[in-house]
Amino acid sequence: MDGRILEEHTEYVVYAIHKILDQYRESRDAREREGAVISGSLPKSVILVGHSMGGFVARAAIIHPHLRKLAVETILTLSTPHQSPPVALQPSLGHYFKRVNQEWRKRYEVQTTRTGRYVSDPLLSHVVVVSISGGYNDYQVRSKLESLEDIVPSTHGFMISSTGMRNVWLSMEHQAILWCNQLVVQVSHTLLSLIDSRTGQPFPETQKRLTVFSRMLRSGIPRTFNWMRQSHSSHQSTHATIKDIKNALGSQVFPSSHCPSNVHWNDDGLEKDLYIQTTTMTVLAMDGRRRWLDIQKLGSNGKSHFIFVTNLAPCFGVRLHLWPEKAKLTSDLAASKRVVEVTSKLVKIPSRPAPRQMEPGSQTEQAPPSAVLCLSPEEMQGFRFLTISVAPRPTISGRPPPAASMAVGQFFNPEDGERDLSAQLMLLSTYSQKEIFLKEDHPLAFNLSFSVSLGLLPVTLSLKTMGCGIKRSGLLAEEAGYMENSRLCKLRCFPPVALAWDPTSGIHMFPNLHGETIIVDSSPALWSSTQGSERTTVLLLVDPHCSYKMSIAVSETAAASRFLLLYSSQIVGFSVAVIFFALMRQAHAWDLDLPMPSMLTAVESNLRMPLSFLLLGIIPILFSLFVSLLMSQPLPPFASFITVSIICYFFANGSIIILIIVSQLIFYAAAIIHVFIKTRWQGWEGNFCLGFLHWFINLSSSFFSLKVVRVLRFNPLLVTALTAITLGCFVHPALGLFILLLSHAWCCHNALCSFLTASFRSHAQRKELYDCKDRGNEGSQEFEFKVEENSSSSPNPSKSFGETQLEIFHHRHGLLVLHLLAAMMFVPSLAAWLQRIGLGHSFPWFLDSALCIGVILHGIFNSKPESNSLFSFPAILGKKVRLDFVYLLAGYFSYLCGLGLEPYKVFYAMAAVGFLSFALRTLQSRREKGELHFGRKKHSHKH
C-alpha cells in the first residue's frame, strides 16, 4: 500500500521478464555449442499472472519505458484492484494508479497525427487482460475495483467473478483465490489452452486468445436475466451461436448442432413415445422414451416461453429437438435438415451431490438440477413440436447404483413469475419477514427483482415445502404427518436453485436453496454508478409440483458489515470534511469575539436542523450532481445516492465524535493526574527524605540553562517544524506528522493543566471568601486583588486566565484531531515501509513530502487561536475572506473527494491551508517590520 514500493516492484518485474527471455536464449546457445539439434523458435513473450497488487504491478510493467516490445502479450490477474486502491489513503499511491490507468487508456487509442491522419494501431493492441474477482467473500478488494471498464476495451479483455466461472461457482476470500482447487485447475487449463500446439508458442492473434479465455472461463449462462424475454441473438453466451437460415417453407430456423457421433440410442419406433398434454412435463427415471410437446397447443394463452431443468447429462442422458411437423421415420435425426437439435443450449449450473440410492430400484429424494435451458418464442418460431428424448437406464454391475435422474419442463408466461420487491418492503422486512405463498402448478422460474442491491441489503431467503399434491393420512399425528409429507415431497420435487445477477459482479449461484443469505458483490449508490445499477435480479427455479412458503428478510448484520466495507473510502473523506467544518465553527466564533466552542460542541452545532445540516450535509451532494451535468457524465440513481451519502455523512460525524470524546477523556485524565501530583509535590517540598530529588532537579536545571537548550526551549515551534519536515522529507511522511501530533498533544496538556489549576485556585478562593465573610472588608479586598492578579495574565482582558487556556486547548485539540486523521491515513504506507527496513532505503515521493510539509505548516502557523484573526484576504464582494471561509471550502472539497472515492485528495486541502497560512504570516511579518522601520525613521527625523 505504498506508491514507492509499487514502483520498485514494477522495475523488478521488468528486469525479471528480460532475465527469463534471456535465459531461454542462453540455454539454446549452450545446447548449440554442445552439438544438440535445435528446432523451433525461442519464446518472444511471457504470460504474467498477478495476485492483488501484483496484478496492478504487471499492468504497470507493460507501460514501463524499459520493457522490450512485445515482451508481454497476456495478463491474468486474481483479486487485483485495477480502478483504484481498496482504500486510497496515500496521495502518491492514488496518483500512481491514476497515472498508470491514464497511460493504458492512451495506449489503447489509435495513433494519429495532429491533423487526424492514421499512423498506426494502438500501442497495446496485442495485449489481452483478464481480471478474476473473488466475489462477495473477498473483504479486501471489491469487484467494482477489479473491473477493467474504461481501462481496457472489451475487445481486449474482461472481468469475471469466480462465482460465475465455469467449474468453479464459488466466492472466495482474498488469499483463498490462490489455492482454491476448482479455480486453480480451471486457470491452469486455460493457460495451457493458450498455447498453439503447432508452434509451442501462445497464439499471436489477440481475438483468438480472448476467445480461449472466454470459452474456458465463462459459463453459458447469459449475463442478464432478460433472456426469458429476449431472443437468443441478443445473448452474450460463449456457446456456439445459432445463425438464422431459411428452411424450405420460408420460416426462420437454425442450423443443427448435433451431439457427438458416438452418441447413439436405439429407436424401435414411435409406439414408445409419450404425447404430453399438459404444460408441465416431468421425467423421474431414465426410461429410454421420447416426449412430444405441441408448441402451438401448449404454448397458447401467453405461455409462449419454455424452460427445462434436469440433472441428466446433455447428449448422453437427454436430447432436445425442434420439429416443423410430426415425422413418421425418426431413426436418423441428422438426415432431416428441417429438424434442429437444441441440446447444446443446455447450460450447466452447479449442483450439490445427488443422493445415492440405498438399493437398486429405490429412490430417497429428487436429485438437484445440473443444467437449465430456456427457449423464447422467437427461437421456436416456425416449429410445431418439441421433443425431449431420454436415454435408457444404463446397466451397471458391481458398482453403486447411479443417482436419481430428473427432468422438468414447462411452458410458462414470464409475467406470472415476476415479483417486484420495493425498497420500503425490504426495509420493513427487517422487523417482520415478507412471506410469499407459491401454490402448486406455479411457474417453474420466478424472477425476483429487488429495488435495492443485495450487495447493500443482503436478504435471507428461505423456502419451506408446504405440499406436493399428496393427501395426509388422518391416522398420523400432525408432526409425523408433516415429516411423512416432507419426505414424499422430496421424492417428487427437486431442490430449489437461485441464480442472482448483478450488473457489476455478474452471476452468483445458490444451489439446493432452502434457507440462505443471498448476497452479491455490488457497490451501488456511488457517484460513478449508473441508472439501474442499484437493482438485483434473482432467478428462482422451483419445482411446480410442490407448494412453498417463501420468506424474505433483510439480514441486519450482513447489511451493516457490507455498508462499512463498501463505503469506507467515502466515510474517510467525509470525516476530514467534518473536522474542517468544526474548525470553521471555531474560527467563526473567534472572529465574532465569542467563546471558542470545543470540537464536540462544534460538530454537534453543524448537525443542527435544518440550516446547518442543509448547508454542510446536503449542498455538497447536490453540487456533485450539478458537476455531473456539467461534465456530461451519467447521473447516479438520485434516491439511493442521496440516501447512502447522507448515511455516510452521519457515520463520519459519529466516528469523529467518538474520536473527540476518547481524546478528551485521555487529556483530562492526564491533566487531572498531573495537577494532583503537582499539588501534592508542593506539600512535600519541605520533607527531608526528598532532598536527593531536589539535588537531582538542581543538577538537571544546570543542563537546561545551557544556551543551546534555552534556544530550543524558547522556540518549540521552530524545533517542531524542523524535526517534522526533516523526517517527513527524508524518512517517511508519517513520522513527520507524528512529531506534529506530539507538539499538539503537549500544548493541549499544558493548556488543560493551566485551566484546571486556575479552576482549582478559583474554587479555593471562593471557599476562602465564604469563610472570611465575618472578617470585614479587608479580606474581600485581598480576594479581589488576587482575582485581578490572575486575570491580568490573560491576553484578553475580558477573559480570565482559565478561559483563555481552555480556548487554547479547544483550538489545539481541533488541529490535533485533524492531523491525527492525516497521520492515520499514512499508517498503511508506514507499515509497508517498516517491513522493508534493511532491504534498502529510498526517499519518499515528492508528492507525499510536499503535502506533508503543507500539513506541518498548517499546524505550526495556526498553533495559536490568534491566527484565526490574522488569516484574511483582500475584500471580495465587500467582505474579507477569513479562515472560517477557507475551512468551509476545504470541507466542501474533502466532501467531494469522499463522494469520488478518492480520500487521499483531502491532503491537497490540508496542504493548501498550510501553505496559505505560511504565505500570509510571512507577508504580515514583513508588513510589521516595515511599519516598525518607518516609525523609527519618523521619530529620528523629529529630533
Side-chain angles (χ1 to χ4, degrees):
M1 297 296 290
D2 183 85
R4 173 65 71 182
I5 295 177
L6 288 186
E7 188 180 40
E8 294 176 357
H9 286 181
T10 301
E11 295 175 354
Y12 175 77
V13 168
V14 173
Y15 166 78
I17 292 172
H18 295 166
K19 190 66 176 178
I20 292 172
L21 295 177
D22 293 342
Q23 197 72 24
Y24 279 109
R25 183 176 299 277
E26 294 173 1
S27 177
R28 178 172 181 150
D29 295 342
R31 284 182 291 156
E32 285 181 349
R33 288 194 297 267
E34 294 175 358
V37 179
I38 306 300
S39 61
S41 58
L42 289 174
K44 300 179 181 178
S45 65
V46 298
I47 298 175
L48 296 183
V49 180
H51 170 251
S52 191
M53 284 298 182
F56 182 81
V57 169
R59 283 206 305 116
I62 297 297
I63 62 173
H64 197 278
H66 296 160
L67 184 68
R68 298 174 188 173
K69 188 176 181 180
L70 304 179
V72 178
E73 296 182 333
T74 305
I75 299 177
L76 179 67
T77 65
L78 305 172
S79 294
T80 294
H82 292 288
Q83 298 290 335
S84 65
V87 182
L89 300 179
Q90 185 191 22
S92 62
L93 181 61
H95 178 73
Y96 189 58
F97 263 79
K98 193 171 184 179
R99 181 170 64 85
V100 170
N101 288 338
Q102 286 179 348
E103 188 67 23
W104 268 72
R105 297 185 189 99
K106 181 179 178 181
R107 296 196 181 192
Y108 270 119
E109 298 175 354
V110 177
Q111 301 297 305
T112 59
T113 61
R114 294 182 178 179
T115 59
R117 183 180 178 183
Y118 172 82
V119 176
S120 64
D121 290 335
L123 298 177
L124 296 181
S125 59
H126 62 285
V127 178
V128 171
V129 184
V130 174
S131 174
I132 300 177
S133 68
Y136 52 85
N137 280 331
D138 191 344
Y139 295 103
Q140 297 187 35
V141 183
R142 276 78 65 197
S143 295
K144 187 175 182 64
L145 300 178
E146 302 173 59
S147 172
L148 297 172
E149 185 180 1
D150 197 36
I151 299 176
V152 179
S154 58
T155 56
H156 289 76
F158 59 88
M159 188 270 286
I160 186 171
S161 175
S162 61
T163 58
M165 277 183 59
R166 182 188 300 272
N167 300 328
V168 181
W169 309 108
L170 296 174
S171 175
M172 52 200 68
E173 189 263 338
H174 189 68
Q175 299 296 331
I177 198 171
L178 293 173
W179 51 260
C180 176
N181 184 65
Q182 293 96 314
L183 188 137
V184 170
V185 170
Q186 194 67 22
V187 168
S188 301
H189 290 173
T190 303
L191 295 178
L192 292 175
S193 301
L194 293 174
I195 306 302
D196 190 349
S197 58
R198 297 172 298 177
T199 63
Q201 305 287 340
F203 292 112
E205 299 86 358
T206 302
Q207 291 303 317
K208 196 161 188 177
R209 278 180 280 133
L210 191 65
T211 301
V212 170
F213 275 118
S214 181
R215 175 173 53 84
M216 295 294 294
L217 298 181
R218 283 177 172 167
S219 65
I221 300 178
R223 285 177 286 173
T224 173
F225 279 165
N226 291 328
W227 55 313
M228 293 191 298
R229 290 183 172 274
Q230 297 175 351
S231 62
H232 188 267
S233 60
S234 63
H235 295 165
Q236 300 178 9
S237 176
T238 57
H239 284 286
T241 56
I242 301 179
K243 300 180 180 179
D244 298 340
I245 61 173
K246 297 286 183 178
N247 64 355
L249 300 177
S251 60
Q252 199 175 35
V253 296
F254 311 104
S256 177
S257 178
H258 295 289
C259 292
S261 57
N262 60 341
V263 178
H264 178 72
W265 302 345
N266 294 326
D267 193 357
D268 298 331
L270 298 181
E271 60 274 10
K272 291 186 178 180
D273 290 355
L274 298 177
Y275 300 92
I276 306 300
Q277 303 297 327
T278 59
T279 56
T280 302
M281 182 276 308
T282 305
V283 176
L284 295 178
M286 301 179 69
D287 52 10
R289 308 184 73 173
R290 179 169 51 202
R291 279 80 173 167
W292 287 81
L293 291 85
D294 192 330
I295 297 175
Q296 294 183 1
K297 179 180 178 182
L298 303 180
S300 59
N301 298 326
K303 299 181 178 181
S304 55
H305 292 71
F306 180 77
I307 190 169
F308 180 76
V309 296
T310 182
N311 75 324
L312 299 173
C315 293
F316 298 93
V318 65
R319 299 178 69 176
L320 294 92
H321 298 81
L322 292 172
W323 299 70
E325 60 184 8
K326 184 67 182 300
K328 295 182 179 180
L329 297 176
T330 60
S331 58
D332 189 6
L333 295 177
S336 177
K337 296 182 179 180
R338 301 171 62 186
V339 178
V340 176
E341 183 167 3
V342 293
T343 309
S344 60
K345 292 194 62 181
L346 275 169
V347 178
K348 291 185 177 181
I349 59 176
S351 61
R352 296 178 182 175
R356 287 290 179 180
Q357 299 178 13
M358 301 302 296
E359 58 184 21
S362 67
Q363 182 176 344
T364 55
E365 61 183 69
Q366 191 64 272
S370 60
V372 60
L373 174 144
C374 187
L375 296 175
S376 64
E378 291 79 4
E379 293 170 309
M380 294 185 291
Q381 185 178 1
F383 297 97
R384 177 64 187 277
F385 294 97
L386 170 66
T387 59
I388 302 174
S389 304
V390 180
R393 183 182 182 88
T395 302
I396 302 176
S397 59
R399 294 183 181 181
S405 57
M406 58 76 59
V408 179
Q410 184 187 62
F411 284 92
F412 72 105
N413 185 357
E415 295 181 357
D416 296 338
E418 291 182 353
R419 297 291 188 274
D420 192 4
L421 302 173
S422 63
Q424 181 180 4
L425 185 146
M426 294 179 65
L427 293 176
L428 292 177
S429 66
T430 58
Y431 301 99
S432 61
Q433 291 184 350
K434 170 66 177 178
E435 294 183 349
I436 300 176
F437 292 92
L438 309 180
K439 298 181 179 180
E440 295 178 11
D441 297 329
H442 55 72
L444 191 152
F446 276 90
N447 198 0
L448 307 179
S449 180
F450 293 87
S451 300
V452 181
S453 173
L454 299 186
L456 181 59
L457 292 180
V459 300
T460 300
L461 181 63
S462 60
L463 288 170
K464 184 177 181 181
T465 306
M466 302 303 295
C468 52
I470 301 175
K471 302 295 183 180
R472 296 183 183 180
S473 174
L475 300 178
L476 296 174
E478 184 70 20
E479 183 178 356
Y482 174 78
M483 296 298 296
E484 178 68 15
N485 187 59
S486 177
R487 187 186 66 82
L488 294 176
C489 289
K490 288 182 178 180
L491 178 66
R492 184 177 184 185
C493 304
F494 64 83
V497 178
L499 295 83
W501 181 83
D502 178 76
T504 302
S505 55
I507 296 292
H508 299 71
M509 307 295 300
F510 300 90
N512 289 43
L513 178 71
H514 294 288
E516 195 167 348
T517 300
I518 307 296
I519 185 173
V520 297
D521 192 20
S522 176
S523 301
L526 298 176
W527 193 359
S528 57
S529 301
T530 56
Q531 297 289 340
S533 61
E534 75 279 8
R535 303 183 69 92
T536 300
T537 303
V538 175
L539 182 66
L540 195 62
L541 302 178
V542 288
D543 199 310
H545 300 96
C546 288
S547 60
Y548 297 90
K549 182 176 72 173
M550 181 168 57
S551 301
I552 300 174
V554 172
S555 176
E556 299 177 3
T557 56
S561 62
R562 289 293 301 178
F563 186 88
L564 295 177
L565 177 68
L566 296 178
Y567 304 106
S568 56
S569 297
Q570 197 165 330
I571 294 174
V572 171
F574 288 177
S575 298
V576 178
V578 169
I579 300 175
F580 274 127
F581 293 153
L583 294 176
M584 174 201 69
R585 183 74 66 174
Q586 289 184 342
H588 184 68
W590 182 270
D591 289 337
L592 298 180
D593 200 18
L594 298 174
M596 179 176 290
S598 65
M599 284 293 292
L600 185 60
T601 304
V603 173
E604 292 175 350
S605 300
N606 291 332
L607 289 174
R608 291 176 182 172
M609 299 289 184
L611 186 59
S612 297
F613 182 74
L614 178 64
L615 177 66
L616 305 178
I618 303 298
I619 288 182
I621 302 175
L622 301 179
F623 181 75
S624 66
L625 297 176
F626 178 71
V627 170
S628 298
L629 289 175
L630 291 181
M631 300 181 65
S632 300
Q633 295 178 350
L635 293 175
F638 290 101
S640 58
F641 173 64
I642 294 176
T643 302
V644 170
S645 299
I646 292 176
I647 294 175
C648 290
Y649 182 67
F650 281 122
F651 263 97
N653 279 273
S655 60
I656 294 301
I657 288 175
I658 293 175
L659 179 61
I660 291 172
I661 293 176
V662 171
S663 59
Q664 276 189 351
L665 289 176
I666 294 175
F667 279 121
Y668 271 92
I672 291 174
I673 295 174
H674 186 183
V675 172
F676 175 78
I677 295 177
K678 185 176 181 181
T679 54
R680 291 294 184 182
W681 173 264
Q682 293 176 353
W684 294 338
E685 283 183 343
N687 194 338
F688 177 77
C689 297
L690 299 177
F692 175 76
L693 294 179
H694 282 293
W695 174 81
F696 178 77
I697 293 174
N698 292 331
L699 181 64
S700 62
S701 63
S702 62
F703 170 76
F704 287 109
S705 64
L706 297 176
K707 186 175 181 179
V708 176
V709 177
R710 281 190 288 119
V711 171
L712 295 179
R713 287 184 64 190
F714 289 105
N715 294 276
L717 294 180
L718 178 61
V719 176
T720 302
L722 292 178
T723 307
I725 292 176
T726 302
L727 291 176
C729 293
F730 298 101
V731 184
H732 195 277
L735 300 181
L737 294 178
F738 287 153
I739 297 298
L740 182 63
L741 290 177
L742 291 177
S743 174
H744 289 326
W746 180 252
C747 182
C748 288
H749 178 72
N750 288 338
L752 196 57
C753 288
S754 300
F755 165 72
L756 292 177
T757 303
S759 299
F760 292 156
R761 288 179 180 176
S762 177
H763 177 72
Q765 290 168 355
R766 290 194 190 97
K767 184 178 180 181
E768 182 181 352
L769 175 63
Y770 294 140
D771 293 340
C772 298
K773 282 183 179 181
D774 298 334
R775 297 181 183 178
N777 296 330
E778 183 179 356
S780 62
Q781 291 177 357
E782 181 180 359
F783 175 76
E784 291 176 359
F785 172 75
K786 292 181 179 179
V787 174
E788 288 181 4
E789 183 181 4
N790 290 335
S791 300
S792 64
S793 301
S794 173
N796 190 347
S798 63
K799 298 180 181 179
S800 65
F801 176 77
E803 292 173 345
T804 304
Q805 293 300 314
L806 184 60
E807 288 191 345
I808 293 175
F809 169 76
H810 291 161
H811 175 74
R812 290 300 287 262
H813 185 226
L815 296 180
L816 182 140
V817 174
L818 176 64
H819 298 151
L820 174 61
L821 194 57
M824 291 172 62
M825 293 175 67
F826 271 109
V827 166
S829 174
L830 179 63
W833 177 80
L834 292 174
Q835 293 176 357
R836 291 174 55 84
I837 291 180
L839 300 179
H841 175 73
S842 59
F843 293 112
W845 270 9
F846 175 77
L847 179 62
D848 292 340
S849 299
L851 295 177
C852 178
I853 292 174
V855 175
I856 294 172
L857 293 178
H858 178 217
I860 297 299
F861 289 97
N862 291 79
S863 59
K864 297 181 180 180
E866 293 83 1
S867 60
N868 294 327
S869 59
L870 300 176
F871 194 108
S872 62
F873 290 107
I876 299 178
L877 298 179
K879 294 184 179 180
K880 285 190 175 182
V881 179
R882 296 191 178 273
L883 185 58
D884 55 349
F885 184 75
V886 175
Y887 280 144
L888 177 64
L889 294 181
Y892 277 175
F893 180 80
S894 302
Y895 202 115
L896 295 178
C897 292
L899 289 176
L901 301 182
E902 296 173 323
Y904 66 90
K905 289 187 177 180
V906 300
F907 281 97
Y908 299 156
M910 298 183 195
V913 176
F915 286 122
L916 285 175
S917 303
F918 172 74
L920 292 176
R921 181 59 64 88
T922 303
L923 292 176
Q924 184 189 12
S925 300
R926 291 183 178 180
R927 190 183 305 116
E928 291 176 353
K929 289 181 180 180
E931 292 176 355
L932 181 61
H933 183 65
F934 177 75
R936 287 178 177 175
K937 281 187 176 181
K938 187 175 181 180
H939 181 71
S940 62
H941 177 71
K942 285 183 179 181
H943 283 279

